[in-house]
Amino acid sequence: DVGETSTWAPTGTLTIPESCDYGSQKYVGWEQFENAGWCSSNLDERICEGVSSTCSLSHCIDTCTDTYSETTNVEYHCYSEDNCWCWCQSSCDCMKDVGETSTWAPTGTLTIPESCDSNYYGGSYYGTQYYGGYYYGGGPCVIVKMYD
């Protein structure tokens, strides 16, 4: 079950479960921490919510970085084509809503911290491992996809 177990496999042998692969959008120079939650920060500004045609990843990142110079990462996630959202963040002290939303950051600039909820997996994020083009972490289906 997603969110109840961790999956570890030798390099190149991990198959990403369908329940974790949402066919997400891409933004060059940014990496996605899928289902890692959102970064708790002082900024926390909502940009959009709704259909992906108006609340797209590019609109999210471009608006956050153009409007708020302190933006270091964004929360962007779509449950469906009609249900996307974007929030700008200025730091990443801990993760909220792990397993329910995704964080995006410029490639190589973000290390996912522990959950803000000390009861979540004992307050430990279990670490992250690299497998065949993806980073896969313990907890609820955390996958990092990098786009060059």
Side-chain angles (χ1 to χ4, degrees):
D1 292 333
V2 173
E4 295 181 15
T5 62
S6 297
T7 301
W8 303 101
T11 301
T13 64
L14 181 66
T15 302
I16 306 301
E18 282 186 38
S19 62
C20 301
D21 187 4
Y22 299 113
S24 55
Q25 302 174 51
K26 297 178 181 182
Y27 194 95
V28 175
W30 285 63
E31 59 187 333
Q32 177 188 26
F33 297 83
E34 191 169 329
N35 294 329
W38 59 276
C39 290
S40 173
S41 77
N42 290 331
L43 181 57
D44 200 29
E45 288 292 330
R46 180 177 173 260
I47 296 301
C48 60
E49 189 170 336
V51 297
S52 61
S53 59
T54 56
C55 187
S56 68
L57 176 62
S58 60
H59 173 73
C60 176
I61 292 173
D62 291 344
T63 303
C64 284
T65 56
D66 290 347
T67 307
Y68 303 101
S69 61
E70 66 270 33
T71 298
T72 60
N73 63 86
V74 300
E75 174 195 3
Y76 180 81
H77 194 84
C78 295
Y79 276 126
S80 69
E81 189 99 5
D82 297 332
N83 188 9
C84 300
W85 60 86
C86 168
W87 292 76
C88 310
Q89 304 297 338
S90 59
S91 63
C92 199
D93 303 323
C94 60
M95 301 306 290
K96 294 189 176 187
D97 296 333
V98 175
E100 298 177 28
T101 189
S102 301
T103 290
W104 289 76
T107 303
T109 64
L110 181 64
T111 300
I112 297 294
E114 292 182 352
S115 170
C116 300
D117 178 3
S118 61
N119 294 323
Y120 183 79
Y121 289 110
S124 173
Y125 203 68
Y126 283 176
T128 305
Q129 300 293 322
Y130 179 79
Y131 295 109
Y134 295 94
Y135 284 96
Y136 185 81
C141 190
V142 177
I143 301 170
V144 178
K145 298 178 183 177
M146 295 179 292
Y147 304 104
D148 297 322

